[in-house]
Amino acid sequence: MSLTPCTAFIPGHLPLQPARHSCTSHTWPKTAAVAVLIAPRTRSVRGWKQRAFLRSGVVSQAPELLEAESEEERLQRMLLDLGEFELLEGSSSELLQRAFTSLRNTKGGKEAKERLPSSSELLGLFASAVLQDPSNVEAIFGMGVFLEVSHRPMEMLRWMDLVLELQPKHLGAWEALAGYRQLASLDTARTRPRDALLEHQQVYVLPMEVWSEGVAEDLQVAAKHVDREWQENAYDPPRDIASDRSFSVMAWDDVLCEELLRHLEESVKDHFEYIFTNRHVFGADEDHQGPAANMWLPSQRAPSNAAEVAARSILRHLLKEEITEFAGVEYWARVRSFNLGARFHYDADVDAEEREWVQGNPWRPWTSCVFYLTTGGPTVVLEQVLSPEGHLTPSLPACGHLCVPKRNRLLVMRGDLFHGSLPVKVWLDSDESRKVFIFNFWRRHRPTAPSCQEPCLARHVAMQPHLLQDSEVQNLEKLMELHYQDLRETPLRPQILARPEDLPHSSDFGYLPVLLPMPSMEQVCAEGGFYRLDWLRAAEKFGPQPQRWMVFFAGRSGN
């Protein structure tokens, strides 16, 4: 296929759609150019930008032209800020094609994986394509894509904003900005991302007492309608959630050794951004089926990064399970604002065919784990499961657990339970981020692509530094064995909140038909503990109330 500077690698040739699970998790500076899909485009770039920025209240991140500076000189100044690179010969179109081929490794197969371009080599290719023809907007866009894949978001913003200055209708640049800033939520024509953002924002605790509103009676009525047994899939024996509480929700502190913890802290941001950027690398080759949201470590493969070492150690040392008894572990990272909750949901194989569902349920993991690297809003796990008829049972949970994040703390829950997280303070901007890794252990089923895939991180320029040599993996595994010899492996004892006065506030968690009593967020976050919320016992202690008319809700599906 012949390519010209203006048509080479046009946006339609790149898989620009955001990966799943990518919504509402990044916090970006208010100065970022967020005029996406708000203002109509006109032929006047200056007039269009002014109208867009007036509506959005922000300014472009592209550097302004200095006095007597040409467009080419501005590009040279921007390139100097990116670091050293080797200037290569060739036409802009040819260099751009080589750059994208190297970035995405489109040759495929083992040969491509043996010789991987370094970050400096890729920078040289994209920079040379820009310098050979400063008017080639696609070369400027290509530099923005390289910076995105390199997880250099602030520099990416400058280059994508420059693309929009030169070509206001450039779809690829708009998509790149929207993918990171979640600005699709501002576009009324794209309801899924907007609705997902609103669902996250609807999860919070109100400083309002609801015991006097009759919730005690609602809880006692709902407790009489538990009609669902738990199962991972058709091959595991079911367990009755009403009688088997031997394993529901647990938490541990001091889970990992400091060396492994340091590796996770260094890599969590890149693991999270990988959700957004792997589409450029693994978009359309024979080994991958499109962008992945989660990563997969099969039981027969040795770990290759710190997250995989941590997952294996947790399964072996804390959960006391043999790795060979599992299909593998699904894992991913989350980085979100302290003050943004997460809508309540079930973990599941989201891409499984409907015929693979079991009794109205998709495949679910045996165990879900949240590993905390920072403090932040608490995770809430409700003892509610999905019935074969497609509604939650019981309609109101009789109990639940609340775990406040803490560095090196692990929360473990049964894989079929409804869960989400609460903000520290509602709707307030925060510079602090809540950072976690999630590990889902699957016994016999492997989650389906494209959402969950076994990655080749060596082919992703931003993930290459986090790959471990075999000797490094072995050293970390030995350190973890020593760590668990000294660790008191008993889980944390939850503080039980089972009195009405323990639960003075309330929340509907963004989906319940009534508000449930809750503790004060200020109190639990200050204490930093692990709690069991026994709503049914508290309701029984509250005593009978005058009879009233009420509507009984069956609840809504969490999927």
Side-chain angles (χ1 to χ4, degrees):
M1 178 176 65
S2 61
L3 301 172
T4 66
C6 293
T7 60
F9 299 98
I10 59 175
H13 293 171
L14 290 173
L16 290 170
Q17 69 277 11
R20 299 192 185 200
H21 307 303
S22 63
C23 57
T24 67
S25 298
H26 247 302
T27 301
W28 294 98
K30 294 181 180 178
T31 55
V34 293
V36 173
L37 303 173
I38 298 176
R41 281 73 158 180
T42 68
R43 292 184 179 180
S44 170
V45 174
R46 182 182 299 275
W48 170 79
K49 286 187 68 178
Q50 289 175 343
R51 279 190 293 274
F53 297 150
L54 283 174
R55 294 189 186 193
S56 62
V58 294
V59 296
S60 171
Q61 292 293 293
E64 294 287 343
L65 280 169
L66 302 179
E67 186 176 354
E69 184 181 43
S70 68
E71 291 284 356
E72 183 175 355
E73 289 171 335
R74 175 170 64 166
L75 284 171
Q76 292 173 354
R77 175 161 55 94
M78 292 174 67
L79 287 170
L80 287 174
D81 292 338
L82 300 179
E84 296 184 359
F85 59 86
E86 180 182 355
L87 184 61
L88 304 174
E89 296 294 330
S91 70
S92 178
S93 177
E94 292 171 347
L95 289 166
L96 184 60
Q97 183 171 3
R98 285 175 55 193
F100 269 108
T101 300
S102 299
L103 181 71
R104 297 184 59 193
N105 227 331
T106 52
K107 293 180 181 179
K110 294 181 179 179
E111 180 181 349
K113 299 177 184 178
E114 290 174 359
R115 177 64 181 94
L116 299 166
S118 67
S119 178
S120 60
E121 290 173 331
L122 287 169
L123 174 60
L125 283 167
F126 281 105
S128 299
V130 171
L131 291 175
Q132 292 294 349
D133 184 1
S135 66
N136 185 352
V137 176
E138 293 306 321
I140 299 172
F141 170 70
M143 178 60 75
V145 171
F146 163 72
L147 293 169
E148 182 182 2
V149 175
S150 300
H151 296 176
R152 298 165 67 172
M154 297 311 301
E155 293 162 311
M156 180 274 288
L157 295 179
R158 299 185 188 103
W159 286 83
M160 291 302 182
D161 279 340
L162 181 58
V163 171
L164 295 177
E165 280 190 26
L166 302 174
Q167 193 176 109
K169 294 186 179 182
H170 195 288
L171 175 62
W174 286 117
E175 288 284 352
L177 296 177
Y180 265 93
R181 300 168 184 157
Q182 311 310 327
L183 298 180
S185 61
L186 302 178
D187 178 15
T188 57
R190 299 181 64 180
T191 58
R192 284 186 62 190
R194 186 186 72 248
D195 290 347
L197 174 62
L198 293 176
E199 286 175 353
H200 290 305
Q201 291 176 332
Q202 290 168 1
V203 180
Y204 51 85
V205 173
L206 292 170
M208 183 174 72
E209 180 270 328
V210 292
W211 288 108
S212 60
E213 301 296 322
V215 70
E217 184 180 355
D218 293 344
L219 284 162
Q220 293 178 63
V221 171
K224 299 176 182 178
H225 298 82
V226 180
D227 58 0
R228 180 72 172 96
E229 292 182 334
W230 174 84
Q231 59 187 50
E232 179 197 12
N233 53 51
Y235 304 111
D236 277 339
R239 285 182 270 179
D240 183 353
I241 68 168
S243 60
D244 181 8
R245 299 193 183 279
S246 61
F247 171 52
S248 178
V249 183
M250 296 182 290
W252 283 267
D253 279 342
D254 302 319
V255 172
L256 302 180
C257 66
E258 278 297 321
E259 182 69 14
L260 182 53
L261 191 59
R262 181 181 60 80
H263 279 284
L264 291 179
E265 289 172 333
E266 291 173 352
S267 64
V268 62
K269 177 177 173 290
D270 285 326
H271 271 284
F272 172 65
E273 292 190 17
Y274 175 86
I275 295 171
F276 299 90
T277 61
N278 74 87
R279 69 186 189 274
H280 292 302
V281 180
F282 301 130
D285 67 9
E286 70 274 16
D287 296 326
H288 295 80
Q289 303 177 43
N294 307 331
M295 290 178 261
W296 175 254
L297 172 64
S299 60
Q300 66 270 20
R301 181 170 68 78
S304 63
N305 61 69
E308 294 177 349
V309 174
R312 289 281 186 91
S313 298
I314 289 167
L315 183 64
R316 177 184 175 189
H317 296 290
L318 280 186
L319 303 184
K320 307 297 184 183
E321 295 284 346
E322 292 294 330
I323 295 170
T324 55
E325 294 297 316
F326 284 76
V329 58
E330 174 191 23
Y331 68 99
W332 65 97
R334 280 287 180 268
V335 179
R336 67 168 72 236
S337 169
F338 265 34
N339 295 330
L340 180 66
R343 68 180 180 85
F344 278 65
H345 62 281
Y346 293 108
D347 290 342
D349 182 354
V350 297
D351 286 328
E353 296 290 337
E354 186 173 355
R355 65 177 180 271
E356 295 179 340
W357 286 29
V358 180
Q359 297 184 10
N361 271 298
W363 294 89
R364 301 199 189 283
W366 172 74
T367 301
S368 296
C369 303
V370 184
F371 181 75
Y372 303 104
L373 291 167
T374 64
T375 58
T379 302
V380 177
V381 184
L382 305 177
E383 294 205 358
Q384 262 186 327
V385 296
L386 192 66
S387 75
E389 294 75 28
H391 62 74
L392 299 175
T393 182
S395 60
L396 294 178
C399 57
H401 286 78
L402 185 150
C403 184
V404 178
K406 176 183 175 183
R407 184 177 184 267
N408 210 5
R409 173 172 287 176
L410 179 75
L411 176 69
V412 180
M413 72 189 82
R414 218 174 58 196
D416 65 330
L417 296 179
F418 215 39
H419 60 280
S421 67
L422 298 168
V424 175
K425 295 180 180 179
V426 184
W427 301 328
L428 296 179
D429 193 15
S430 174
D431 293 331
E432 296 181 280
S433 296
R434 180 183 186 268
K435 300 177 182 179
V436 302
F437 275 95
I438 295 94
F439 304 112
N440 282 352
F441 295 103
W442 295 79
R443 278 201 181 276
R444 295 171 177 82
H445 180 72
R446 170 176 175 165
T448 314
S451 287
C452 182
Q453 299 184 47
E454 184 176 352
C456 178
L457 298 185
R459 295 175 59 188
H460 192 291
V461 64
M463 300 304 293
Q464 290 174 7
H466 303 302
L467 289 172
L468 301 175
Q469 300 294 326
D470 291 344
S471 58
E472 294 177 296
V473 171
Q474 293 167 7
N475 181 57
L476 287 173
E477 290 176 337
K478 289 178 181 178
L479 289 174
M480 284 304 302
E481 290 181 2
L482 294 173
H483 178 74
Y484 281 107
Q485 289 177 8
D486 300 329
L487 178 67
R488 185 167 169 257
E489 296 179 18
T490 55
L492 298 175
R493 183 182 296 275
Q495 180 181 342
I496 298 175
L497 305 181
R499 301 177 303 168
E501 56 266 33
D502 295 332
L503 305 166
H505 293 175
S506 58
S507 177
D508 66 0
F509 304 117
Y511 78 97
L512 286 173
V514 298
L515 293 166
L516 279 185
M518 286 291 290
S520 160
M521 281 296 96
E522 290 78 9
Q523 177 183 347
V524 298
C525 288
E527 294 174 352
F530 176 49
Y531 305 87
R532 179 173 173 82
L533 311 175
D534 200 329
W535 288 296
L536 186 58
R537 281 176 58 189
E540 293 168 349
K541 292 179 180 179
F542 189 69
Q545 295 298 299
Q547 186 174 4
R548 65 186 178 90
W549 294 99
M550 71 174 184
V551 178
F552 184 76
F553 293 86
R556 298 200 307 248
S557 168
N559 295 285

